[in-house]
Amino acid sequence: MKYILTLFLALAMVIPITAQNNDQKQDERTEGHKEEQKKFDPERYQRELEAFICREACLTKQEAQAFFPLYRQMQQKQRAIYMKKKVFDKAALCDNKAAEAVITAYDERELAIKKLQQQYHKQFIKVMPATKVLKFIHAEERFNRNMMRNFSKRPQQPQPPHHPNKK
């Protein structure tokens, strides 16, 4: 009886160890693949966005050839405005004047982006019908919303449990 009990305990201790080793090996095999999934590929994003816009806005080849250079130009200018943003200062969380300056800079940046979009929308209307420009605007919003939704569905690193009573 002691022999069976000892054998059972030994097996009970060995099984979890081998399971951990298999989990570690699986993690090592899939680690490179997980890294690929986590990386943002701007070229792939641009290709998928343009294909989605072409499909959703029903752009002809000629319209797409006239539209996308303007669209890429607008995106570059938007990024330039966005990158000029004032660095968020943590002190602004405690200082009203600093917080007001950050809010003002944020609002100015958003207004500049909207004005830029307005200018380019007028140019887009010159190269394709306004109905297709409107379809483009909706398609771009849908694409970005879907991308964010898919991004949030990716498996994330497990977070340690939060204990509000512990300090």
Side-chain angles (χ1 to χ4, degrees):
M1 182 70 176
K2 285 184 182 181
Y3 175 75
I4 294 173
L5 185 60
T6 307
L7 183 62
F8 178 73
L9 288 174
L11 281 174
M13 293 170 67
V14 170
I15 290 173
I17 291 171
T18 57
Q20 285 179 348
N21 286 339
N22 286 341
D23 288 345
Q24 288 173 349
K25 288 177 186 174
Q26 181 67 23
D27 288 346
E28 289 171 3
R29 284 191 299 257
T30 60
E31 189 171 314
H33 183 64
K34 286 179 184 177
E35 286 301 315
E36 282 179 16
Q37 289 177 337
K38 289 181 184 179
K39 289 182 183 176
F40 175 73
D41 182 0
E43 292 161 0
R44 179 177 170 214
Y45 169 83
Q46 192 69 32
R47 281 192 314 272
E48 290 177 4
L49 172 63
E50 290 180 10
F52 187 81
I53 289 170
C54 277
R55 192 171 53 250
E56 294 294 309
C58 305
L59 300 183
T60 66
K61 192 171 188 172
Q62 293 80 15
E63 289 169 338
Q65 287 174 342
F67 168 74
F68 282 115
L70 286 173
Y71 178 61
R72 288 184 206 112
Q73 191 178 51
M74 181 184 78
Q75 285 180 313
Q76 287 176 340
K77 290 181 179 180
Q78 284 176 324
R79 273 189 221 104
I81 292 169
Y82 186 76
M83 297 311 281
K84 287 181 184 177
K85 70 180 181 180
K86 194 169 188 170
V87 176
F88 178 71
D89 186 5
K90 289 187 179 186
L93 293 172
C94 300
D95 179 15
N96 279 330
K97 287 194 185 249
E100 190 174 335
V102 169
I103 292 167
T104 301
Y106 174 83
D107 290 344
E108 288 172 359
R109 185 184 79 222
E110 293 298 312
L111 286 171
I113 287 174
K114 283 297 175 189
K115 286 179 183 177
L116 181 69
Q117 285 176 339
Q118 186 179 36
Q119 291 170 358
Y120 272 89
H121 290 168
K122 288 176 183 177
Q123 290 182 33
F124 296 161
I125 291 171
K126 291 178 183 176
V127 298
M128 61 188 189
T131 54
K132 290 190 177 188
V133 173
L134 186 58
K135 287 179 182 179
F136 146 73
I137 292 169
H138 291 302
E140 182 185 38
E141 288 174 0
R142 263 194 321 276
F143 182 83
N144 287 323
R145 204 172 326 126
N146 289 338
M147 287 295 286
M148 290 305 293
R149 189 177 301 127
N150 291 340
F151 184 75
S152 66
K153 287 181 182 178
R154 289 184 179 173
Q156 306 214 348
Q157 295 294 328
Q159 298 292 324
H162 175 61
H163 299 287
N165 296 336
K166 287 189 175 182
K167 291 188 178 184

